[in-house]
Amino acid sequence: MSARNLGTELGSFLECFSCLLSHLAPPHPENAYLSWISKIQVNQPAVLRRAEQIQARRMVKKEWQAAWLLKAVTFIDLTTLSGDDTSSNVQRLCYKAKYPIREDLLKALNVHDKGLTTAAVCVYPARVCDAVKALKAAGSTIPVASVATGFPAGQTHLKTRLEEIRLAVEDGATEIDVVINRTLVLTGQWEALYDEIRQFRKACGEAHLKTILATGELGSLTNVYKASMIAMMAGSDFIKTSTGKETVNATFPVAIVMLRAIRDFFWKTGNKIGFKPAGGIRSAKDSLAWLSLIKEELGDEWLTPELFRIGASTLLSDIERQIYHHVTGRYAAYHDLPMS
Amino acid sequence: MVNMAWLDTQDRHLGHYVNGKWLKPEHRNSVPCRDPITGENLASCPQAQAEDVAAAVEAARTAWENWSGLPGASRAQYLTRLAKMIQKHQRLLWTLESLVTGRAVREVRDRDIPLAQQLLQWHAVQAYTQEETLAGWEPMGVIGLILSPTFSFLEMMWRICPALAVGCTVVVLVPPGSPTPLLLAQLAGELGSFPGILNVINGPASLGPILASQPGVQKVTFCGAVEEGRVLRRTLAGQGAELGLALGAESLLVLTEAADVDSAVEGVVDAAWSDRSAGGLRLLIQESVWDETMRRLQERMARLRGGRGLDGAVDMGARGAAAHDLAQRYVREAQSQGAQVFQAGDVPSVSPFFPPTLVSDLPPASPCTQAEVPWPVVVASPFRTAKEALAVANGTPRGGSASVWSERLGQALELGYGLRVGTVWINAHGLRHPEVPTGGCKESGSSWHGGPDGLYEYLRPSGTPARLPSLSENLNYDTFGLAVPLTLPSGPEIGPSPAAPYGLFIGGRFQAPGARSSRCIQDSKGNLQAYVAEGGAKDIRGAVEAAHQAAPGWVSQPPGARASLLWALASALERRESAFTSALERHGVELKTAKVEVELSARRLRAWGARAQAQGHLLQVAELRGPVLRLREPLGVLAIVCPDEWPLLAFASLLAAALAHGNAVVLVPSGVCPIPALEVCQDMATLLPAGLVNVVTGDRDHLTRCLALHQDVQALWYFGSAQGSQFVEWASAGNLKPVWVNRGRPRAWDQEAQGAGPELGLRAARTKALWLPMGD
């Protein structure tokens, strides 16, 4: 996979937004761009209400549910981000990524020959080598994603953050999940934020850039929208909700705002940017709600691993449990399913 | 299916539910209850006849004697038990409702059923505290409720809950083929203790007058289409029961350039395309965001799903063939007048399914712009400024609900306060809560449900006698008060020559009447006392115009300023006490009584001045973060026909209440003794803004006719003959103005309760609920 979003220059972006800005008649493009960013408003209570509705509006049951669950598996960035990660549990994770659902269950559903895997595995930079090796040993081409840039807080020097990206890419990570500098958002330094992400983009080279907004720490939905827009303009291939380490992680209201930003960016530039919710998505039911959210807000074309990922560690086992139930009609015991 | 099983318990043959049991009379025409989508016959419903209605009212009347006497705590307990009962059978309720109405089950299940339970619980609390908080009020009696086919069972819950809570009993007339109200009545009946408090009969709306004329029925509440309401208003003129109307279902959404457009688009979906409301939506979009909004709307519409209501994943169900045809006709007509029509969404293309429809570029003068927008149509039109938005929004006869979308607080509040509707949501649409009153103004009717206003609908001041019919069959509406009886010179003038004739007090000064004629006023001994002007239709027109000009200025006065003017008027009255006393004495009032009357009049002015200070309050709704403001807004131009008795006191009491609430007034003073009122005008000429109060003398029947038929008089209080009352009720159907009539019954104006009680305050203003959700 190669990077698709080369980013947008501020100037050309402005032209794209000219229809939006037409009533402002900007004398200085830079100022107009900033004033546009500062004008954006997101109404939080209204978004909350929409988020509440969307979860109940598209229920799928029975075989449709099973099909949606299998689809959800292909979106998972199977993740382990713990202090006690070693090569053995990373190896186990990689094996699980290659064989996410028990073979006999897939056979019963007649999808065993479809090559069902998760979308990627996601690890700390120091574990990238382990993951690459394990996946190679398993004969798989599943990409390895690495978090970077001082994950999860991002409170390190820009120089080391950039170096971190380069090293992870050297080790064989083809997708880099960077965290943004929340300080810049909270103090309103949007141009500085744009410049930083631009540099991340360069450091990634051919690797995919997923930008984590850490929405739980941005203060308001309006900031979430602005940060999403800046991240996309600066060249992110994906925007991602959270690190999983904040107190508030992937929530529906935040996702709705980010998805609207993605759609607006697509309308203005023609570039499709991916979306990755992460953190707190643990049940199969949750994952279905996320799929229906994407379908509702962006449409079917976004329901591919190129444009949609779910960052999760325990979600996969719950999906497997639901599939087990669908196939056998019984609820699985803990030992019925292989651990990851 | 659980709903079918329930229908089977009735052998697919429903009846009426009266007095705690099924009433299945023989030899009735039966109407099939059909699945609105497949047309499959689900059950049959008998059409009620007059004797069934009588039986239901009789049951309700018997039950009322016991029910109204119970302590509030017992009624509270009953309502709580009913809420539990609904909870137990909610699956049956929602599947049945969705099956027979065709609405999306999700909406019924996730909104209506929980709301129905909340309604019962909230009103249970009100019943519990009734003795304390509603002291001085008593339940009216038997309430008749008439539902039209397009309204859901929730509309019934909104009305029966307050009625039952305060101690009334109810007879509900539902259109045949709506089994959910019957099921609810059965659930209530199965609680056992109080059969007969809730009775449901099936029948066409044409049975309404029969229901209203049953002895004991004190109030009839109707919710349905505007034209049906108008007809009912005319038919029930002079009948015993009071009439409350809640009409129309159209809503309004104002989208400003400062809005979160995506969220506002969701607001449009909530309002028109989510089976939440029975009507369509008028959408006003600020020109600068028109293109952006249209693009987002059309994109969003494409993702809507329509289908069978019982499918859990549809946004919109179907409402039967009638609703489909109505929408079809509207859209065709709009198209023929040059409008752009956009339809999208994944909706079956056969009747009765109708796709989400967006109509734009409708020429402003086309008939469609004036007509009510039907479900599921949205009519979009642009506006330039907030001021223009207000002018356009207030330029329709409808006054139900509206939402304002703007992130600028100042702008949002300006629009919210300026819209002439019953409910305004800021940055939201369609929120409901039992604690928040819902109602309307203008042609949407003035009946309220929910909140304190909903309770007062079914209460009357303690000690008010029951309402009896005062119908005079031979009253000719076409000729009542049409011609002014001629006043010819009637013999020689005896005694000192009277002063120059009084003019009409219009626009802040005395004017000669348009007819250039006067009527003589005799004192108690039959001697000529004075000449007053003979006002006519032209003078009424001038007075109403003057009042309209003065109204905006008076509304914008802070309550404190209104209070001080009323106090100044009271002082002026006291200063000229002797003049007023002697004017009253000449009409045969004893000196002592006359003094009391003048003193009381001044006190009334002061009392209402003081009450002007405290109006409106804050409600805190559980699920909503942020407040709901319950505003009390003036009615506008209020016409008051004063009673003949207590010529000064009644005049002052009514005037004070009206002014304190910010209304501009046109008054017709006492017919036999108009002099004190005209004397007050001399003080008002110097104290009050010109045109705020206008006093027109003349033939009362004629002036009443002119006022009642005037489309731009926003409310009318009539204290006079029974015939006049009946005419006023009949004529009010024109612009559906709220009216208050005494049906020829004198009021004790010198008593605090009747002369200055809270009833006057309730009638002198209308409520508006302003929702202010918060969050960042």
Side-chain angles (χ1 to χ4, degrees):
Chain A
M1 244 184 325
S2 63
R4 286 151 298 130
N5 184 14
L6 300 173
T8 317
E9 294 300 330
L10 286 186
S12 69
F13 189 74
L14 269 177
E15 276 162 38
C16 302
F17 271 94
S18 57
C19 54
L20 240 169
L21 292 165
S22 54
H23 61 286
L24 292 176
H28 304 294
E30 296 276 298
N31 293 346
Y33 145 73
L34 285 173
S35 91
W36 175 73
I37 282 279
S38 67
K39 261 178 183 275
I40 292 170
Q41 286 292 334
V42 177
N43 189 282
Q44 188 246 16
V47 172
L48 252 52
R49 275 194 304 277
R50 168 76 175 140
E52 215 169 89
Q53 290 169 357
I54 212 162
Q55 295 171 59
R57 283 199 175 172
R58 298 285 186 265
M59 304 277 212
V60 281
K61 299 270 185 249
K62 299 176 194 163
E63 57 263 46
W64 294 279
Q65 189 183 42
W68 277 87
L69 285 174
L70 290 177
K71 185 125 179 122
V73 170
T74 67
F75 299 136
I76 295 179
D77 275 3
L78 199 60
T79 306
T80 180
L81 292 170
S82 311
D84 58 0
D85 283 344
T86 63
S87 66
S88 67
N89 79 318
V90 168
Q91 193 182 7
R92 208 161 54 220
L93 187 84
C94 291
Y95 192 76
K96 185 74 182 172
K98 172 93 162 102
Y99 304 103
I101 306 281
R102 237 170 62 175
E103 185 73 13
D104 56 329
L105 298 179
L106 292 181
K107 263 194 186 126
L109 292 167
N110 200 23
V111 287
H112 53 287
D113 49 1
K114 298 269 196 271
L116 185 82
T117 66
T118 68
V121 291
C122 181
V123 292
Y124 269 124
R127 300 272 73 80
V128 171
C129 282
D130 295 338
V132 171
K133 211 162 79 190
L135 282 169
K136 205 169 178 189
S140 164
T141 53
I142 300 172
V144 175
S146 166
V147 297
T149 71
F151 184 93
Q155 297 282 18
T156 56
H157 292 291
L158 182 58
K159 199 170 165 189
T160 57
R161 282 188 272 154
L162 290 169
E163 195 56 29
E164 222 180 321
I165 297 176
R166 289 190 199 104
L167 291 173
V169 174
E170 263 173 36
D171 284 351
T174 52
E175 303 183 3
I176 306 293
D177 290 21
V178 301
V179 293
I180 62 162
N181 188 340
R182 273 83 97 187
T183 315
L184 298 179
V185 175
L186 293 171
T187 52
Q189 301 179 58
W190 301 109
E191 271 181 282
L193 180 64
Y194 173 85
D195 291 339
E196 267 199 26
I197 301 174
R198 264 331 252 177
Q199 295 187 51
F200 294 161
R201 165 81 273 168
K202 277 207 193 91
C204 281
E206 281 303 297
H208 247 57
L209 175 64
K210 302 199 205 110
T211 305
I212 306 173
L213 303 178
T215 53
E217 295 178 350
L218 295 188
S220 71
L221 292 182
T222 308
N223 275 350
V224 170
Y225 185 95
K226 291 175 181 174
S228 306
M229 201 48 99
I230 297 278
M232 289 186 286
M233 284 156 56
S236 314
D237 298 304
F238 264 84
I239 51 176
K240 176 173 166 185
T241 56
S242 21
T243 60
K245 309 284 185 192
E246 295 98 38
T247 44
V248 182
N249 291 304
T251 62
F252 283 96
V254 158
I256 287 171
V257 172
M258 291 173 73
L259 293 173
R260 285 175 181 171
I262 290 174
R263 184 202 49 202
D264 290 350
F265 188 78
F266 170 63
W267 279 358
K268 306 297 178 193
T269 66
N271 278 349
K272 287 182 183 164
I273 306 299
F275 174 67
K276 177 176 172 185
I281 306 171
R282 294 198 179 86
S283 71
K285 199 176 159 212
D286 284 352
S287 70
L288 291 179
W290 282 98
L291 259 60
S292 68
L293 176 69
I294 305 295
K295 189 175 160 67
E296 278 290 292
E297 288 284 324
L298 293 174
D300 288 334
E301 51 206 299
W302 255 266
L303 280 178
T304 87
E306 278 76 50
L307 288 169
F308 177 56
R309 299 284 179 86
I310 301 174
S313 42
T314 52
L315 170 64
L316 183 56
S317 28
D318 192 55
I319 292 184
E320 198 175 6
R321 212 166 292 139
Q322 297 304 324
I323 303 252
Y324 182 96
H325 177 245
H326 174 76
V327 171
T328 64
R330 278 171 281 133
Y331 290 103
Y334 176 73
H335 58 256
D336 280 334
L337 302 167
M339 66 186 289
S340 62
Chain B
M1 290 259 285
V2 58
N3 45 14
M4 293 300 181
W6 179 73
L7 290 173
D8 285 337
T9 63
Q10 301 300 317
D11 299 328
R12 300 283 175 129
H13 187 79
L14 298 166
H16 315 295
Y17 199 81
V18 172
N19 207 13
K21 47 189 184 288
W22 289 97
L23 175 68
K24 294 182 178 175
E26 310 242 310
H27 312 300
R28 297 281 186 272
N29 291 336
S30 74
V31 175
C33 162
R34 289 185 192 282
D35 182 324
I37 290 154
T38 60
E40 182 198 347
N41 196 349
L42 298 170
S44 66
C45 278
Q47 291 257 37
Q49 286 183 2
E51 58 251 52
D52 304 330
V53 178
V57 173
E58 186 51 40
R61 209 151 54 113
T62 318
W64 182 70
E65 276 155 27
N66 181 15
W67 180 248
S68 62
L70 284 178
S74 310
R75 286 199 298 270
Q77 198 185 13
Y78 180 85
L79 292 179
T80 320
R81 284 175 63 205
L82 184 53
K84 292 245 173 67
M85 199 73 171
I86 289 184
Q87 191 181 21
K88 277 184 222 157
H89 296 283
Q90 49 179 312
R91 191 180 173 81
L92 169 57
L93 264 168
W94 85 54
T95 47
L96 184 67
E97 171 76 0
S98 174
L99 175 71
V100 295
T101 62
R103 292 169 65 221
V105 68
R106 158 180 66 73
E107 204 54 34
V108 183
R109 180 191 62 205
D110 299 344
R111 250 176 84 89
D112 293 4
I113 301 285
L115 189 52
Q117 291 173 53
Q118 282 173 16
L119 275 167
L120 284 162
Q121 274 149 2
W122 189 81
H123 284 97
V125 175
Q126 303 313 304
Y128 190 84
T129 57
Q130 186 184 3
E131 284 91 355
E132 198 182 317
T133 53
L134 294 170
W137 295 84
E138 61 180 21
M140 278 182 167
V142 177
I143 307 296
L145 169 60
I146 305 172
L147 290 171
S148 90
T150 50
F151 284 81
S152 73
F153 85 100
L154 200 59
E155 297 297 327
M156 169 178 137
M157 292 303 292
W158 274 107
R159 289 162 181 90
I160 62 169
C161 289
L164 292 177
V166 299
C168 295
T169 55
V170 189
V171 175
V172 189
L173 177 64
V174 297
S178 17
T180 326
L182 289 167
L183 171 60
L184 272 168
Q186 190 194 5
L187 292 181
E190 280 176 3
L191 291 176
S193 351
F194 307 101
I197 58 168
L198 177 60
N199 307 282
V200 176
I201 45 178
N202 311 287
S206 56
L207 279 177
I210 295 173
L211 173 60
S213 59
Q214 297 296 320
V217 175
Q218 292 294 298
K219 175 153 189 160
V220 170
T221 304
F222 172 78
C223 68
V226 178
E227 280 318 307
E228 286 172 47
R230 233 189 270 277
V231 170
L232 200 61
R233 174 67 280 178
R234 293 204 174 104
T235 324
L236 295 192
Q239 293 279 13
E242 194 180 319
L243 179 63
L245 296 171
L247 306 175
E250 186 194 284
S251 194
L252 173 82
L253 192 147
V254 182
L255 200 163
T256 70
E257 64 183 5
D260 171 359
V261 176
D262 281 310
S263 292
V265 166
E266 289 304 326
V268 176
V269 174
D270 283 347
W273 301 318
S274 66
D275 273 357
R276 191 164 292 183
S277 135
L281 180 76
R282 207 165 277 279
L283 172 62
L284 300 181
I285 305 172
Q286 194 151 22
E287 235 175 347
S288 49
V289 287
W290 174 271
D291 292 337
E292 196 193 340
T293 307
M294 285 314 232
R295 179 173 189 186
R296 279 162 212 263
L297 255 181
Q298 293 179 355
E299 166 85 13
R300 181 69 180 88
M301 285 168 77
R303 297 197 200 290
L304 290 166
R305 283 193 73 216
R308 195 168 160 72
L310 281 171
D311 175 349
V314 303
D315 298 305
M316 275 169 59
R319 308 278 179 88
H324 173 271
D325 296 347
L326 186 69
Q328 185 79 282
R329 264 202 309 280
Y330 185 92
V331 170
R332 287 221 178 107
E333 196 176 333
Q335 237 160 354
S336 72
Q337 287 159 9
Q340 297 291 319
V341 173
F342 178 83
Q343 294 182 321
D346 176 13
V347 179
S349 54
V350 289
S351 171
F353 294 104
F354 200 83
T357 305
L358 177 64
V359 175
S360 56
D361 299 333
L362 198 59
S366 75
C368 274
T369 324
Q370 288 305 310
E372 188 173 334
V373 180
W375 170 92
V377 180
V378 172
V379 175
S381 43
F383 67 90
R384 291 169 299 172
T385 61
K387 227 177 230 139
E388 189 176 60
L390 274 185
V392 175
N394 290 338
T396 71
R398 288 164 287 278
S401 59
S403 65
V404 171
W405 294 80
S406 169
E407 294 301 312
R408 286 212 298 271
L409 181 65
Q411 184 188 46
L413 287 177
E414 170 87 17
L415 284 165
Y417 273 77
L419 285 168
R420 287 185 64 84
V421 292
T423 306
V424 179
W425 299 282
I426 305 287
N427 292 325
H429 199 106
L431 305 180
R432 306 286 292 270
H433 192 272
E435 197 176 341
V436 182
T438 310
C441 60
K442 297 197 269 188
E443 287 190 4
S444 296
S446 49
S447 159
W448 286 80
H449 51 271
D453 303 74
L455 296 172
Y456 287 122
E457 286 279 316
Y458 306 102
L459 290 167
R460 61 177 172 218
S462 300
T464 315
R467 291 170 66 101
L468 295 168
S470 60
L471 185 67
S472 84
E473 299 281 357
N474 50 13
L475 178 66
N476 187 338
Y477 295 119
D478 293 333
T479 56
F480 175 86
L482 188 63
V484 184
L486 289 173
T487 35
L488 297 168
S490 56
E493 288 184 1
I494 309 163
S497 167
Y502 286 94
L504 303 168
F505 184 65
I506 293 175
R509 61 194 177 85
F510 283 98
Q511 297 181 354
R516 295 280 183 267
S517 63
S518 301
R519 57 170 40 217
C520 58
I521 299 299
Q522 290 164 337
D523 63 16
S524 56
K525 299 192 188 74
N527 296 329
L528 177 74
Q529 183 188 358
Y531 283 104
V532 299
E534 182 73 67
K538 290 245 167 69
D539 304 306
I540 290 290
R541 187 196 67 188
V544 172
E545 257 171 37
H548 268 290
Q549 275 173 13
W554 185 242
V555 176
S556 57
Q557 295 270 349
R562 282 183 220 156
S564 60
L565 280 177
L566 284 172
W567 281 40
L569 194 59
S571 305
L573 221 67
E574 282 163 345
R575 264 199 303 281
R576 299 209 292 139
E577 192 200 351
S578 57
F580 286 113
T581 319
S582 64
L584 288 169
E585 260 190 300
R586 286 193 69 180
H587 274 273
V589 183
E590 273 179 46
L591 177 66
K592 215 174 120 194
T593 325
K595 278 200 160 144
V596 169
E597 183 168 356
V598 178
E599 193 197 311
L600 259 181
S601 304
R603 207 190 292 163
R604 290 282 153 80
L605 288 166
R606 289 229 163 82
W608 281 109
R611 287 181 205 170
Q613 306 272 10
Q615 277 169 25
H617 64 267
L618 205 74
L619 304 168
Q620 193 67 54
V621 173
E623 294 88 272
L624 179 84
R625 294 186 62 232
V628 180
L629 307 182
R630 176 179 174 259
L631 307 174
R632 295 287 288 163
E633 296 194 335
L635 300 162
V637 172
L638 170 61
I640 305 173
V641 180
C642 298
D644 277 337
E645 73 272 12
W646 296 100
L648 180 63
L649 178 60
F651 176 82
S653 304
L654 291 165
L655 176 72
L659 287 185
H661 287 87
N663 299 291
V665 251
V666 177
L667 287 128
V668 176
S670 162
V672 289
C673 180
I675 310 299
L678 290 165
E679 285 294 324
V680 179
C681 289
Q682 305 209 337
D683 296 316
M684 292 196 287
T686 53
L687 287 171
L688 297 182
L692 179 63
V693 179
N694 305 277
V695 178
V696 183
T697 51
D699 182 68
R700 286 164 55 86
D701 284 353
H702 180 59
L703 296 177
T704 301
R705 181 184 183 89
C706 296
L707 287 168
L709 288 172
H710 200 302
Q711 291 283 102
D712 218 5
V713 167
Q714 270 114 13
L716 176 57
W717 297 350
Y718 178 84
F719 298 92
S721 64
Q723 287 203 339
S725 302
Q726 186 181 337
F727 178 82
V728 164
E729 289 187 322
W730 176 85
S732 72
N735 65 348
L736 290 164
K737 58 172 85 71
V739 293
W740 182 22
V741 296
N742 72 334
R743 301 173 171 233
R745 280 219 186 123
R747 266 178 101 84
W749 292 99
D750 54 334
Q751 302 295 313
E752 190 64 21
Q754 294 203 13
E759 191 186 8
L760 271 86
L762 273 181
R763 304 237 186 212
R766 61 185 172 81
T767 302
K768 179 195 272 180
L770 184 62
W771 294 70
L772 294 165
M774 70 181 189
D776 179 42

